[in-house]
Amino acid sequence: MNILLTGANGYIGQRLIPVLLEQGHHITCCVRDRDRFNQQHDYPVSVIEIDFLQPGDTTFPDNIDVAYYLVHSMSSGGQFEEKEAVSARTFVRLISNTSCQQVIYLTGIVNQQDLSRHLESRLMVENILKEGPVPLTALRAGIIVGSGSASFEIIRDLVEKLPVMITPRWLNTRCQPIGIRDVIFFLCGVLGKAATYHRNYDIAGPEVLTYKQMLLQYARVRKLKRYIITLPVMTPRLSSYWLYFITSTSYKLAVNLVDSMKVDVTARPNSLAADLGITLLTYQQAVELAFGRIEQNLVASSWKDSFSSANTPQTWMDNIEVPSFGCLKDEQSIPINQDETFVLNNIWKIGGNTGWYYANTLWRIRGFLDKLAGGVGLRRGRRDPVDIHAGDALDFWRVLVADKKQRRLLLFAEMKLPGEAWLEFQIVEKDKQSILKQTATFRPRGLWGRLYWMIMLPFHYFIFGGMIRRLSNGISKQTKKQ
């Protein structure tokens, strides 16, 4: 099928693209910034650059079979309802001039009489799409559980940071969360199914939980002991400030989320999951998969079979997507003033006998301490001195991405840590200048994880700064002696 995907750079869109490609569909992605999309992805897709608020003379291809509408403006603040209405009407006008047979819209559950502004806007958009000439299939979901989703990352932030929580009364509001894996299954399952045309379905997991129960179940998965005290007097404004200061969300998004969280979001029963053969995950299973990154199997299945090591543990590959919410980062960059291939080859030789280019003695001490703690240490080295592939062990790291074409190496830490860590090297172009970017990302587990990062900050400044300079200049005699 020829599929049009709006919101291709969004949370759902990025997970949907590889699955649709694997099923053999041709995809046309609608994005606001073509360069950003092309820099982030190397998918065999067509790209249309369009702002649905100001579409200009943009048109859609005539031969579209199915279109996904995944556009929303909740985080933009202000009169987001007006923006969502304009975007939806623009989409209806453009898709009406194609041969499209179905529009699939992912929206929110709207079963209460008193809806939040966000849910009222979602329902308004659904009605606008329904008025168009193309049959609509609306999938209505509540909280989506997956690493990176706004609601899930707020829960993660709260539990990881606060041993004792003084919380607003809306924590007793009921909802019916659904795992991101199941959302993708539903979105793909209704594709081209005529029986779902002109219909809407509530999609949700099998459990109705309060937000308080979700926080406590999350804590159990992470093996953290947490205490929650609910206050009946906290106003929506105070609740919004509370979320804003404690979590990684923006204030505008916090306001809209608090507004939505005051309303019960539970699903009407239907047989869609059974009709599509979907076994729904419980909330706890979805949380476990979010941290194991198992849902990424949907994305990564096309390249896992090409790993050089048949014994590569799949769970390490499930960390392929570096998280952004609630993470601590050390970001370094340096202009490349010589042959780019030389620098790329330096990156590909890192670890093993080559070492880590700077302060190798400190790296060896870290490996020794890891070994004492029962970790893998530096004893594994690397499989080959110059060649490296996804799935390879590299000292106390695991290689997740080794793509010379994209000039990117991504490592995931297997050392003992109070959290998860990624180390990424990438060569990018900026203002006609090649830049080497080096990013260390750490997702702490609880307060000890944050304390660990603070203790290591002086060492990071010293080690990572020296490492990126040496990578751009090659291995000096001084580095070899360390």
Side-chain angles (χ1 to χ4, degrees), residues 13 52 127-128 143 194 236 238 249 288 324 361 365-366 374 436 473:
F52 284 98
N127 290 330
I128 291 172
I143 282 186
L238 284 176
T249 188
E288 289 170 348
S324 56
T361 299
I365 291 172
R366 183 63 181 87
L436 172 59
N473 295 322

Side-chain angles (χ1 to χ4, degrees), residues 436-456:
L436 172 59
K437 291 180 62 179
Q438 174 186 283
T439 306
T441 302
F442 183 63
R443 181 165 61 186
R445 186 183 298 113
L447 294 177
W448 168 238
R450 284 168 174 76
L451 180 60
Y452 169 85
W453 178 265
M454 297 301 294
I455 292 171
M456 295 300 296

